[in-house]
């Protein structure tokens, strides 16, 4: 098969603590920094910048200080001027764009791997903004190599200028989201899964840069279509139902017409009434209550990727 | 990951000879189950303990503002009290820390559930007290005063934990016959769903809880549930526990006699912290073999922590313990990875209303 040639990866960043209470990434980044001190930079195949993305939020073990930093990286928001009223998290977003970007420039980091946790039962989920060929190849590789947890790919399918998350600052970035884990807790099994995600990514980079040909094929992805909110009291906006026990923890399963969605406090089952079957994910994510999201609904599709190998100079 | 149990049970023998006498505490017996049963049979020839009727009950949610089951239940019952009404009983539902609930945080200035110390609740009137200390004084006025005959009879304080503790009832005294009988009733009613009983009577580790203003404080702790999240199964378990508790109180008030029984409890022994570096950062996580194994025996040599670079740290205690509160989010700052307990069977005398 004819290969698509892509430039070698030169600069990689691993970010933890974009949300300060998502602890796997925080401790993994610290452990990587400790390893670097102990063994030198050659411990990784390329230079790696390790970043605690939102240090104040990490210190206070909170998702964010004033505003969700992982919604601040769209081109619109990054190009707005900073004033005295600019929230801390937004100032930090500008700093990170300068450190790891600038976004969409030739100087931007090749790959940002942004580490997150979720209270949802999502195993290891890779979240991509665009159909970037290199990022999709890494996802395909992770899916073959990692067996301890299910590995799935969420494809946001947005133009890079509109992408608002930290890794969109880089050329081929993606988020590694591992759950379920309560915020403010570190579980060894979740930490190990995330560590394997990062290690296998480094493994791919090493192989790719040294000339390995990676065969193309189809990658199964989940593309978000819409989100569903909890039933709420019209006056107080308080929840009147919880995720139904038959939907709870069933991320990436099927939600068909007639399936239970919510169980109200008065004992009624609220069912999904639409014709089209979707795959729910981010079911009962703590941070999404304030965003009015009980779960997202996605369509499953296949994306074809070409065979790739590194461009020799 | 269940492990074979190797330690014999300790039996404590609790009895109240007559309604006027103080309870006789306790000879520690290492006896086989048949001897305990014989002792219970002998004891049941004595009269049931006659205890005052229960007039005022409170149900607290939101002592911690991000523990969602209790907050949701109390808000629901405040709108519609039908489920919590019982004959001859005043039941008040109450959000203990409304500011913390509004922000969905555990507390604003200081942990309300540690704030009910004598110094806090009866100190001089000063400006600039932490929010929770002010709140503790208000709660003590409304539902106490703590230690007085005017205090509420029973307070159920509703909590969630990130630990895999299932449904747990937390008691503060091994001598409170009324509460022990109520707990026995709840356990039987909830079966086959397990209710574990945690007894915190430890002189140093016992803490000044919100519910301690009542004569009979009962903690209801259900997990695992992340902070800020509402899980349907956890919500319904907690709701069912309160239903059975109120049923018991109604039956007790109507004159039903509850016979002598035994209650298995886990008595708090010590708090185990994470390994930490000189900066106070944790250097290891709860080991995967211990994670989620609340109430299961932990033996010497069993894996306890796993360092970030993959080394196992084993448990080195002299005897088998039963860990609980394993990996509770709120306890990282309190320097606790888990709590150790020892298993006991309490023999509880029969009770009826005086």
């Amino acid at each position: 098969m004819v290969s698509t040639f892509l430039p070698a990866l030169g600069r990689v960043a691993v970010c933890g603590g974009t949300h300060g209470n998502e602890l796997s990434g925080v401790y993994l980044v610290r452990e990587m920094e400790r390893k670097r001190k102990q063994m030198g930079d050659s411990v990784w195949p390329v230079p790696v910048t390790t970043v605690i993305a939102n240090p104040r939020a990490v210190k206070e073990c909170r998702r964010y200080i004033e505003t969700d930093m992982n919604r601040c990286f769209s081109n619109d928001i990054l190009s707005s001027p900073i004033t005295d009223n600019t929230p801390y998290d937004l100032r930090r977003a500008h700093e990170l764009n300068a450190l790891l970007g600038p976004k969409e420039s030739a100087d931007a980091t090749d790959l940002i791997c942004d580490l997150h946790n979720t209270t949802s039962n999502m195993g290891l989920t890779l979240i991509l903004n665009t159909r970037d060929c290199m990022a999709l190849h890494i996802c395909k590789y992770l899916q073959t190599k990692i067996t301890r947890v299910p590995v799935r790919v969420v494809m946001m399918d947005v133009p890079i200028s509109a992408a608002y998350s930290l890794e969109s600052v880089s050329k081929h970035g993606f988020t590694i989201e591992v759950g379920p884990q309560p915020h403010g807790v570190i579980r060894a099994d979740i930490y190990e899964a995330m560590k394997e995600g990062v290690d296998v990514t480094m493994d791919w980079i090493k192989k790719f840069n040294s000339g390995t040909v990676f065969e193309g094929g189809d990658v199964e992805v989940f593309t978000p279509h819409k989100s569903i909110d909890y039933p709420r009291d019209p006056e107080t906006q308080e929840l009147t139902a919880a995720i139904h026990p038959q939907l709870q923890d069933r991320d990436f399963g099927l939600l068909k017409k007639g399936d239970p969605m919510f169980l109200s406090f008065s004992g009624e089952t609220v069912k999904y009434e639409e014709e089209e079957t979707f795959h729910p994910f981010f079911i009962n994510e703590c941070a999404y209550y304030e965003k009015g999201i009980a779960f997202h609904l996605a369509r499953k599709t296949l994306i074809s990727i070409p065979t790739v190998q590194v461009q020799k100079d | 990951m269940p492990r074979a149990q190797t330690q014999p049970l300790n039996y404590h023998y609790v009895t109240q000879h007559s309604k006027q006498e103080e309870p006789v505490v306790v000879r520690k017996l290492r006896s086989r189950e048949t001897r305990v049963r014989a002792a219970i049979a002998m004891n049941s020839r004595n009269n049931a303990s006659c205890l005052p009727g229960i007039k005022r009950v409170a149900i607290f949610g939101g002592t911690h503002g991000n523990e969602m089951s209790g907050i949701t239940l109390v808000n629901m019952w405040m709108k519609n009290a039908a489920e919590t009404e019982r004959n001859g009983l005043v039941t008040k539902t109450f959000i203990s820390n409304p500011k913390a609930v509004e922000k969905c945080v555990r507390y604003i200035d200081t942990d309300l559930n540690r704030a009910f110390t004598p110094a806090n609740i009866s100190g001089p009137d000063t400006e600039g007290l932490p929010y929770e200390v002010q709140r503790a004084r208000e709660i003590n006025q409304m539902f106490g005063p703590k230690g007085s005959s005017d205090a509420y009879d029973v307070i159920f304080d509703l909590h969630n934990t990130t630990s895999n503790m299932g449904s747990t009832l937390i008691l503060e005294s091994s001598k409170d016959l009324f509460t022990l009988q109520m707990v026995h009733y709840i356990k039987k009613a909830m079966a086959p769903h397990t209710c574990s009983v945690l007894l915190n009577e430890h002189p140093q580790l016992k803490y000044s809880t919100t519910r301690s203003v009542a004569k009979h404080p009962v903690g209801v702790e259900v997990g695992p549930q992340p902070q800020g999240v509402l899980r349907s199964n956890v919500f319904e378990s907690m709701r069912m526990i309160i239903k059975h508790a109120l049923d018991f109180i109604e039956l007790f008030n109507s004159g039903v006699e509850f016979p002598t029984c035994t209650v298995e409890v886990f008595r708090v022994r010590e708090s185990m912290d994470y390994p930490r570096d000189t900066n106070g950062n944790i250097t290891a996580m709860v080991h995967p073999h211990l994670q989620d194994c609340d109430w299961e025996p932990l033996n010497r040599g069993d894996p306890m922590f796993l360092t970030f670079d993959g080394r196992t740290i084993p448990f080195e205690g002299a005897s088998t313990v039963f860990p609980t509160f394993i990996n509770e989010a709120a306890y990282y700052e309190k320097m606790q990875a888990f709590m150790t307990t020892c298993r006991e069977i309490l023999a509880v005398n029969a009770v009826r209303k005086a």
Side-chain angles (χ1 to χ4, degrees):
Chain A
M1 194 190 287
V2 176
S3 289
T4 298
F5 290 92
L6 301 172
L9 282 153
R11 202 158 68 99
V12 167
V14 176
C15 300
T18 297
H19 294 133
N21 53 8
E22 295 176 17
L23 296 191
S24 307
V26 173
Y27 284 100
L28 186 51
V29 161
R30 285 188 187 156
E31 177 60 16
M32 289 175 75
E33 286 168 354
R34 193 193 64 81
K35 266 220 172 72
R36 186 211 303 277
K37 275 204 193 93
Q38 200 181 51
M39 294 162 60
D41 280 303
S42 60
V43 66
W44 299 300
V46 289
V48 175
T49 307
T50 47
V51 185
I52 294 288
N54 194 337
R56 260 190 72 188
V58 168
K59 188 155 188 249
E60 297 185 32
C61 199
R62 298 161 55 153
R63 181 177 175 85
Y64 55 81
I65 301 300
E66 291 170 77
T67 187
D68 190 342
M69 194 181 72
N70 212 32
R71 301 291 182 275
C72 291
F73 292 91
S74 65
N75 287 24
D76 281 346
I77 295 177
L78 284 178
S79 57
S80 310
I82 298 190
T83 68
D84 284 340
N85 294 326
T86 302
Y88 164 79
D89 315 86
L90 184 39
R91 286 172 197 274
R92 184 64 186 148
H94 282 254
E95 277 173 29
L96 289 165
N97 188 41
L99 175 72
L100 302 173
K103 182 172 170 180
E104 290 200 271
S105 78
D107 291 334
T109 303
D110 291 310
L111 168 60
I112 290 173
C113 198
D114 193 23
L115 307 179
H116 285 260
N117 292 119
T118 174
T119 57
S120 306
N121 186 27
M122 285 168 62
L124 195 156
T125 298
L126 303 156
I127 307 180
L128 276 56
N129 286 305
T130 68
R131 299 185 179 210
D132 180 76
C133 180
M134 185 177 278
L136 281 162
H137 261 281
I138 296 174
C139 290
K140 186 163 174 284
Y141 190 70
L142 260 55
Q143 281 183 319
T144 39
K145 291 291 181 191
I146 295 176
T147 52
R148 70 170 80 211
V149 286
V151 178
R152 298 161 182 122
V153 182
V154 167
M155 171 56 68
M156 301 299 287
D157 250 350
V158 293
I160 195 73
S161 57
Y164 48 65
S165 49
L166 167 56
E167 79 279 7
S168 70
V169 168
S170 67
K171 294 170 185 163
H172 310 287
F174 55 88
T175 287
I176 300 183
E177 183 93 46
V178 189
Q181 180 172 270
H183 298 316
V185 160
I186 181 134
R187 287 181 64 102
D189 53 358
I190 299 291
Y191 173 87
E192 296 283 295
M194 189 177 276
K195 181 169 185 300
E196 189 174 15
V198 172
D199 288 345
V200 173
T201 298
M202 294 294 174
D203 186 40
W204 187 93
I205 293 170
K206 183 176 185 182
K207 290 191 159 82
F208 177 79
N209 279 1
S210 44
T212 303
V213 175
F214 286 94
E215 289 297 322
D218 288 334
V219 183
E220 185 182 85
V221 306
F222 293 88
T223 300
H225 172 66
K226 66 177 178 185
S227 63
I228 306 272
D229 193 8
Y230 293 95
R232 290 176 188 268
D233 180 289
E235 280 172 32
T236 62
Q237 289 305 299
E238 279 169 15
L239 265 55
T240 55
I243 298 280
H244 196 280
Q246 283 176 42
L247 178 59
Q248 179 69 56
D249 300 334
R250 283 176 164 74
D251 298 71
F252 299 110
L254 288 172
L255 187 69
K256 303 186 303 297
K257 182 174 165 140
D259 285 348
M261 281 196 299
F262 302 105
L263 182 60
S264 80
F265 306 145
S266 50
E268 285 108 42
T269 295
V270 180
K271 295 184 180 163
Y272 175 67
E273 300 288 13
E274 294 181 41
E275 292 299 326
E276 186 177 353
T277 296
F278 284 103
H279 298 268
F281 68 103
F282 273 125
I283 299 172
N284 210 348
E285 161 55 49
C286 172
Y288 289 176
Y289 281 60
E290 69 176 19
K291 298 189 201 291
I293 296 166
F295 52 91
H296 283 295
L297 288 176
R299 290 192 179 106
K300 192 162 73 169
T301 52
L302 287 176
I303 296 181
S304 286
I305 50 175
T307 299
V308 297
Q309 66 179 124
V310 73
Q311 190 173 296
K312 292 179 180 62
D313 294 319
Chain B
M1 208 160 282
R3 287 168 288 263
Q5 187 191 319
T6 53
Q7 280 285 76
L9 301 173
N10 293 323
Y11 294 97
H12 276 208
Y13 191 67
V14 178
T15 183
Q16 191 160 4
H17 292 297
S18 80
K19 64 180 170 186
Q20 301 303 332
E21 275 182 41
E22 287 298 302
V24 174
V25 185
V26 163
R27 279 173 298 132
K28 200 196 231 187
L29 300 173
R30 284 193 182 278
S31 55
R32 293 174 62 81
E33 179 139 357
T34 45
R35 271 183 244 150
V36 171
R37 293 243 173 266
I40 292 168
M42 193 171 74
N43 187 53
S44 67
R45 283 181 226 134
N46 295 336
N47 292 331
S49 302
C50 292
L51 305 173
I54 299 295
K55 297 195 195 60
R56 292 186 303 165
V57 170
I59 303 171
F60 287 2
T63 292
H64 295 133
N66 53 11
E67 294 177 14
M68 303 307 294
S69 308
I71 293 164
T72 307
L73 280 170
V74 164
N75 282 337
M76 188 181 80
W77 287 328
M78 279 173 121
K79 285 208 196 86
N80 182 354
E83 266 176 52
T84 56
E85 275 164 6
R86 295 291 189 281
N87 280 331
L89 190 62
V90 166
T91 305
K92 186 164 169 63
T93 50
F94 185 75
I95 295 286
S96 2
N97 195 338
K99 272 197 185 165
V101 170
E102 203 188 352
K103 298 180 79 174
C104 198
V105 293
R106 182 176 175 85
Y107 56 81
I108 304 296
D109 295 327
T110 187
D111 192 338
L112 180 64
N113 213 32
R114 304 287 184 279
F116 286 75
T117 59
N120 275 351
I121 56 181
S122 56
D125 257 328
T126 20
E127 296 271 318
L129 284 175
Y131 169 72
E132 278 84 9
V133 174
Q134 286 172 43
R135 193 65 184 147
R137 291 180 181 194
E138 283 166 26
I139 290 171
N140 190 43
Q141 291 283 31
M142 290 173 73
F143 298 96
K146 182 168 169 173
S148 81
S149 55
D150 290 335
Y152 262 61
D153 296 300
V154 184
I155 294 177
F156 298 102
D157 195 17
L158 307 181
H159 288 265
N160 292 119
T161 174
T162 58
S163 306
N164 189 29
M165 288 165 71
S167 295
T168 299
L169 300 163
I170 307 183
L171 305 185
E172 304 192 1
S173 164
S174 59
K175 305 175 192 62
D176 183 344
L177 294 184
F178 171 80
T179 301
L180 284 163
Q181 283 282 0
M182 178 166 62
V183 156
H184 178 256
Y185 178 90
I186 295 170
K187 281 171 68 101
K188 257 178 45 187
M190 293 290 285
H193 179 95
T194 306
C195 267
S196 307
V197 183
L198 180 65
L199 172 63
N200 195 352
E201 219 176 12
H202 191 293
Q204 280 86 52
L205 293 182
K206 186 168 185 168
Y207 45 84
S208 305
T209 56
T210 311
R211 56 191 178 265
S212 67
V213 304
K215 294 170 189 166
H216 305 285
V218 181
V220 180
E221 184 91 49
V222 188
Q225 182 171 271
Q227 295 169 344
V229 162
L230 185 71
R231 286 181 71 102
S232 184
N233 58 334
V234 171
F235 173 84
E236 297 293 342
S237 293
M238 189 179 277
R239 187 181 195 172
M240 197 57 33
I241 288 169
I242 293 298
K243 174 198 142 33
H244 293 312
L246 295 175
D247 287 347
F248 171 84
I249 294 172
E250 188 175 27
L251 287 168
F252 173 80
N253 278 349
S254 72
V256 169
E257 178 170 315
F258 293 89
T260 302
C261 66
T262 59
V263 179
E264 179 192 73
V265 304
F266 292 89
R267 182 188 284 275
V268 167
R269 276 184 42 165
E270 67 176 330
S271 172
M272 301 288 285
D273 192 10
Y274 293 93
R276 292 174 189 269
D277 62 21
T278 46
N279 294 324
N281 296 315
I282 65 170
T283 54
M285 309 166 277
V286 170
H287 195 281
H289 288 198
L290 176 58
Q291 179 69 54
D292 301 335
C293 293
D294 301 70
W295 312 121
E296 293 176 30
L298 181 68
N299 299 307
R300 183 185 181 80
D302 286 347
M304 187 172 55
F305 296 111
L306 181 67
T307 65
F308 293 110
D309 55 356
R311 191 173 46 92
T312 294
I313 298 173
F315 176 64
E316 312 253 78
S319 54
T320 298
V321 294
F322 293 81
T324 190
F325 275 118
I326 299 173
N327 208 349
E328 160 55 48
Y331 290 174
Y332 283 61
E333 70 174 22
K334 297 193 202 294
M335 313 302 194
Q336 183 175 303
F338 61 95
M339 199 170 240
T340 64
T341 70
C342 58
R343 225 170 109 180
E344 289 178 22
I345 306 282
L346 299 183
V348 185
N349 198 33
V351 303
R352 66 178 156 85
K353 193 180 93 160

